[in-house]
Amino acid sequence: MNALRITPLERWIRDKIGMASQSRFTRDEVRRYQLEKLGQVLGYACRYSPFYRQLLSGLANDGLAGFEQFAALPFTTVEDLARDPLEFLCVSHSEVARVVTLRSSGTTGFPKRLFFDQADLELTVDFFHHGMSTLTRAGQRVLILMPGGLPGSVGDLLVKGLARMGAEGIVHGPVRDPEEAIDAILTHRTQVLVGIPVQLLSLVRHPQSVRIPPGLIQNVLLSTDYIPASIVAAIRQAWGCGVYQHYGLTETGYGGGVECDAHDGYHLREADLFVEVVDPATGRSLPEGVSGEVVVTTLTRRAMPLIRYRTGDVARLLPDYCPCGSPLRRLGKVAGRLNNGAALGPYALLCMAALDEAIFAIPQVLNFQAEIIPANGCGRLRVTVHCDPGRFEDTLTHVHAALARLPAVREAAAQGLLTVDPVRLTPENWFTTGAAKRTLIDRRRERSTA
Ligand SMILES: [Zn+2]
């Protein structure tokens, strides 16, 4: 028998929403719970947060009649968070257990700050405990290739969640030196890795990767940035392990949703988050199955609840039940970020995700940086590739061919809107972004705002 294991989030969420004793568990029950929680979070935010009191004045006083009414409420944007994060705070300063300051991708240029109290952090630890049990067993060691030095950081919360299932989390931090990370895998004999896609790629494609005995690494969890199919395939092939994908933002308390053994969308953390998908241009809610911008409402956060927060991520809610049998909703693979692309003329858009898919599929590529440089009213695409110096020539040919196959590049070049610089190769990974998302750098924007 080869039946898929049902996602462990199923039982966890069932218990959390008070359905533990029921034999039947359907999407409607989750929806009923979420509607009740949405009503509560509106009331709570209006009472304690000056921002929401003003934004929702008069809207939330009479309770929430239904999802349609909720879908008519205004959005919260990254600019709102950057403008005055303290306006969102619903607890006293002394209750704040963790503050995260992030460079804002919004237009204000101010960093955004997020606040969590101890109860909020506990919710994430609880999610990590159950979410990680998809791919980790008691007694295993997990190397965490993410930031984790500070209390309340993602690594710290993962270690705590893993300890609850009898697994040991070891924080290494983002990969700066692949050899050092490979040493850490061997020293600790870790069976599970948690990391950032391009950084895991730098391990599997490193010559020293052969030191890792076959069968040692059983599962890998990828998170934080866009996850190219070619990186998933490269890891599976190199180590013969399972590769699971996670979706989450600092705004969702790091955790958001995780794949099950079916590897077909992220099962969402539905007891803590309400996820919508909207048309990025009109803001209108989109039906399941249709791609748009992911919008998140926190249902259980105390320090800084977020209501209809526009994430900038593009994905769709999958309409069918998961092959694992769980009725929990799934978010389909995140297809990229709205602001992580460059417009080439009125109709063509070159996305970082498309470049990732095309360039990481070349076996010797370890990382790359892409920029659009202003040139006589149009753009010049400049790609710098980090690869093994022994494979320079070979790489050059493949990268050129991959770029030429990209529809956005081909069409924009044909219309005279884009030229492509000769690809540059470097043995150094000088453009690594650490734990930050990689972006398509559009220098035309820098010029126009300077
Ligand atoms: Zn599933």
Coordinates of all heavy atoms in Angstrom, one line a residue, residues 9 21 36 53 58 81 83 107-108 154 166 171 180 256 269 281 291-292 297 321 333 367 377:
L9 N -1.0 18.8 9.9 CA -1.7 20.1 10.2 C -3.2 19.8 10.4 O -3.9 20.5 11.1 CB -1.5 21.2 9.2 CG -0.1 21.7 8.9 CD1 -0.2 22.9 8.0 CD2 0.6 22.0 10.2
S21 N -13.5 16.2 18.7 CA -14.3 15.0 19.0 C -15.3 14.7 17.8 O -16.0 13.7 17.8 CB -15.1 15.3 20.2 OG -15.9 16.5 20.0
E36 N -16.1 33.6 12.6 CA -16.2 34.1 14.0 C -14.9 34.8 14.5 O -15.0 35.9 15.1 CB -16.5 32.8 14.9 CG -16.9 33.2 16.3 CD -17.0 31.9 17.2 OE1 -17.3 30.8 16.6 OE2 -16.6 32.0 18.4
R53 N -8.6 51.6 14.3 CA -9.7 52.3 14.8 C -10.1 53.4 13.7 O -11.3 53.6 13.4 CB -9.4 53.0 16.1 CG -10.6 53.5 16.9 CD -10.2 54.1 18.2 NE -9.4 53.2 19.0 CZ -8.3 53.5 19.6 NH1 -7.9 54.7 19.6 NH2 -7.6 52.6 20.3
G58 N -16.5 52.7 12.4 CA -17.9 52.4 12.1 C -18.2 51.2 11.4 O -19.3 50.7 11.3
L81 N 2.4 49.9 7.1 CA 3.3 49.4 8.2 C 4.5 50.2 8.3 O 5.0 50.4 9.4 CB 3.7 47.9 7.8 CG 2.7 46.8 7.9 CD1 3.5 45.5 7.8 CD2 2.0 46.9 9.2
R83 N 4.8 53.4 7.6 CA 4.5 54.8 8.0 C 4.6 55.0 9.5 O 5.3 55.9 9.9 CB 3.1 55.2 7.5 CG 2.9 56.7 7.3 CD 1.6 57.0 6.6 NE 1.5 56.5 5.3 CZ 0.6 55.6 4.8 NH1 -0.4 55.3 5.7 NH2 0.6 55.2 3.6
T107 N 6.9 51.9 -1.4 CA 7.4 53.1 -2.0 C 8.0 54.1 -1.1 O 8.6 55.1 -1.5 CB 6.4 53.7 -2.9 OG1 5.2 53.9 -2.1 CG2 6.0 52.9 -4.1
T108 N 7.7 54.0 0.2 CA 8.1 55.0 1.2 C 9.6 55.0 1.5 O 10.2 56.0 1.8 CB 7.4 54.9 2.5 OG1 7.7 53.6 3.1 CG2 5.9 55.0 2.4
V154 N 13.6 33.2 13.7 CA 13.0 32.1 13.1 C 13.7 30.8 13.5 O 13.1 29.8 13.8 CB 12.9 32.2 11.5 CG1 14.3 32.3 10.9 CG2 12.2 31.1 10.9
G166 N 10.7 16.0 20.0 CA 11.8 15.1 20.4 C 12.9 15.2 19.3 O 13.7 14.2 19.2
V171 N 21.1 25.5 14.9 CA 21.1 26.7 14.1 C 22.5 27.0 13.5 O 23.5 27.1 14.3 CB 20.6 28.0 14.9 CG1 20.7 29.2 14.0 CG2 19.2 27.8 15.4
E180 N 31.7 25.1 4.8 CA 31.5 25.2 6.2 C 30.2 24.5 6.5 O 30.0 23.8 7.5 CB 31.5 26.7 6.6 CG 31.8 27.0 8.0 CD 31.8 28.5 8.2 OE1 32.9 29.1 8.0 OE2 30.7 29.0 8.5
G256 N 3.4 30.0 7.6 CA 2.2 30.3 6.8 C 1.5 29.1 6.3 O 0.3 28.9 6.5
R269 N -2.1 27.5 7.5 CA -2.3 27.5 9.0 C -3.6 28.2 9.3 O -3.7 29.3 9.8 CB -1.1 28.4 9.4 CG -0.8 28.3 10.8 CD 0.4 29.3 11.0 NE 0.5 29.7 12.3 CZ 1.4 30.6 12.8 NH1 2.2 31.2 11.9 NH2 1.4 31.0 14.0
A281 N -5.0 44.7 -9.4 CA -5.4 46.0 -10.0 C -6.7 46.5 -9.4 O -6.7 47.7 -9.0 CB -5.6 45.8 -11.5
S291 N -5.3 33.0 -10.1 CA -4.1 33.6 -9.6 C -4.3 35.1 -9.3 O -4.9 35.8 -10.1 CB -3.0 33.5 -10.5 OG -2.3 32.3 -10.2
G292 N -3.8 35.6 -8.2 CA -3.8 37.0 -7.9 C -2.9 37.3 -6.7 O -2.0 36.4 -6.4
T297 N -5.1 37.8 6.7 CA -5.6 38.4 7.9 C -5.1 37.5 9.1 O -5.3 36.2 8.9 CB -7.1 38.5 7.9 OG1 -7.4 39.4 6.8 CG2 -7.6 39.1 9.2
Y321 N -9.8 19.2 -3.1 CA -9.2 18.7 -1.8 C -7.9 18.1 -2.2 O -7.7 17.6 -3.3 CB -10.2 17.6 -1.3 CG -11.3 18.1 -0.4 CD1 -11.9 19.4 -0.7 CD2 -11.8 17.4 0.7 CE1 -12.9 19.9 0.1 CE2 -12.8 17.9 1.5 CZ -13.3 19.1 1.2 OH -14.3 19.6 2.0
K333 N 1.6 26.9 -5.5 CA 2.9 27.4 -5.5 C 3.0 28.9 -5.7 O 2.3 29.4 -6.6 CB 3.7 26.7 -6.6 CG 5.1 27.2 -6.7 CD 5.8 26.4 -7.9 CE 7.1 27.1 -8.4 NZ 8.2 26.9 -7.5
N367 N 24.6 30.8 -8.6 CA 23.8 31.9 -8.2 C 23.9 32.9 -9.4 O 24.8 32.8 -10.2 CB 24.3 32.6 -6.9 CG 23.3 33.5 -6.3 OD1 22.2 33.7 -6.8 ND2 23.6 34.0 -5.1
G377 N 16.2 55.4 -23.1 CA 14.8 55.2 -23.0 C 14.3 53.8 -22.9 O 13.1 53.6 -22.7

